[in-house]
Structures are given as structure tokens and as C-alpha cells.
Amino acid sequence: MTATQDSTTATLTRIRLNRRSTTVRRDLADATQLHKTVMRLAPDHLGDSPRQKAGLLFRLEPATDHTPPTLLIQSHHMPDLTRLPDTYGTAETRNLAPMFHALTPGQRVRFRITANASASRLAPEDRHPGSKKRGTVTPLHGEQALTWWHRRATAAGLTVITADATPIRFPRRSKEPGPLHALTRFDGTAVVSDPEELSHAVLHGIGRGKPYGAGLLSLAPA
């Protein structure tokens, strides 16, 4: 499918979480469990790579003085919210097609994304033509993370005007196996340079760590 075709069925679900729910408290403390809860909303029998086929991306928004923690879930299909526990939270879903159709070159937007800003680096002895060794993935912070985001945003059809970087805690059990993800939330303003590339980036996510709440790019008029 092209980005335009995907966007006709793309949806965004906003779940205001009930912190009294034991399932919510478990998910807020464990990124792997949160991923499993989100995946329950996808259609069955998608075969290999079900998250990618469902177009599932999500981001956890922290609580504020006036709102509880909020889970944003984007997908190609209408999520089956009946699979959530009854006390999990209150949800609302909207079609994203109008947003995609409204994107035009030169349009100014506000953006937010929690991303796994990282770089793959080879040891000096492995840096030679024809080397097939994979580098070590290194988390980026501060100015390096901002440089990473500017580069990825440009490739995604955005020209960044302003950007702030906020480190985000990656919740996991202390002895849980698997990779650690250094998450950073980027907020700011930008100008749309390529609506087609931007639509593709929104639909498919940006960077690593998508199963753990990274990569979902949100846009709003500036």
C-alpha cells in the first residue's frame, strides 16, 4: 500500500488510563507487558510481524496535574477495545485521514515523538571496506540526540524550526533480558517539506524500539 492508501484507514486511539487498575499499574511499570496489552487490540491471524502488518505504534503520555497517564495507539485497523480489561480506562478513536489529506508543503506544524535516538558504531578494527560486522547500538543524549532528530525529521519530510529533547524513563524489570532503550521525547515546531514522505513516516514510525512505545510521530497545526 502507498502512504495515501494506508492513511484512509489509519486511526488514533486515546486511552486515559485508570491508575486504580492493577493491569494499568503493571503496564506502567513494565514496557514488555504494555506491548502485550497493545498487541491484543490488533486483528488475529496476521502471521509474521503482526505489529507491522497492523500498523501498530503507541506512545505513553505522562500524567499531568489535570489528566491521568494517557496511551496513544495508532493502527491501520480499528482496534478491538473489547479486549481491554473493563477497568483499564476510557477510550476514544478517530480517523486520521483528514489530517493526512490536509498536509501541504510549507504548512507549519507542531510535533511530538518519543524516539529511540541511537547510532550504530563499529570498532576501529572493523572499519574497512567490505566489512559485514554490525556496530554496537549506542544511545544518544543531549545535543547528539537533537542532531539525530533533525536528521531523521528532514528525511521524514519535515524542516525543524524548534526542538526540545526530554529524556524518558524506559520501564522494565531489573533482570528482564533483552535490549535497553534510551527514549527521548522531542517536541517542537516544523514546516512540512514533503507531505508524502511525512505521511509515510507517521504511518510507519521513526527509529528503533517501536514495540516499546517509540516512533509514533504526532502532528498538529501550529
Side-chain angles (χ1 to χ4, degrees):
M1 284 188 178
T2 65
T4 302
Q5 288 172 320
D6 277 344
S7 67
T8 60
T9 57
T11 64
L12 182 69
T13 299
R14 185 184 303 271
I15 306 175
R16 291 176 174 83
L17 302 177
N18 173 19
R19 283 179 286 191
R20 295 181 179 178
S21 164
T22 55
T23 306
V24 166
R25 292 199 298 271
R26 179 204 66 187
D27 288 355
L28 291 176
D30 187 337
T32 300
Q33 290 298 329
L34 179 58
H35 167 71
K36 291 179 179 179
T37 295
V38 171
M39 286 304 301
R40 291 193 188 102
L41 307 184
D44 294 328
H45 312 301
L46 290 178
D48 295 335
S49 304
R51 187 200 61 76
Q52 291 93 323
K53 290 179 180 176
L56 270 175
L57 297 166
F58 69 95
R59 184 174 72 245
L60 186 62
E61 295 282 293
T64 69
D65 292 339
H66 306 290
T67 60
T70 300
L71 182 61
L72 300 178
I73 304 172
Q74 183 178 290
S75 61
H76 296 332
H77 307 274
M78 186 69 71
D80 186 356
L81 298 174
T82 64
R83 296 183 175 186
L84 289 175
D86 291 337
T87 60
Y88 201 76
T90 57
E92 56 186 21
T93 299
R94 65 183 177 93
N95 191 336
L96 290 178
M99 182 200 73
F100 287 109
H101 295 318
L103 293 176
T104 56
Q107 179 184 4
R108 188 163 174 157
V109 295
R110 291 181 290 113
F111 65 80
R112 169 170 286 186
I113 180 172
T114 294
N116 179 213
S118 59
S120 181
R121 293 170 175 164
L122 282 171
E125 61 270 20
D126 296 326
R127 297 174 189 168
H128 56 81
S131 173
K132 295 183 179 180
K133 290 189 177 182
R134 294 185 177 183
T136 301
V137 176
T138 303
L140 302 176
H141 305 281
E143 289 299 322
Q144 287 187 328
L146 281 169
T147 298
W148 178 93
W149 167 240
H150 277 262
R151 185 173 63 252
R152 297 305 293 263
T154 299
L158 281 177
T159 301
V160 174
I161 302 171
T162 65
D164 294 317
T166 305
I168 300 296
R169 184 180 69 89
F170 179 68
R172 65 178 298 169
R173 295 174 182 171
S174 59
K175 296 183 180 180
E176 183 181 359
L180 284 171
H181 295 277
L183 301 182
T184 303
R185 191 183 71 224
F186 299 98
D187 295 277
T189 58
V191 171
V192 177
S193 57
D194 188 327
E196 189 70 21
E197 288 292 341
L198 183 54
S199 295
H200 184 274
V202 172
L203 286 165
H204 298 282
I206 296 175
R208 305 171 187 266
K210 297 182 184 72
Y212 299 101
L216 172 58
L217 174 62
S218 299
L219 303 172

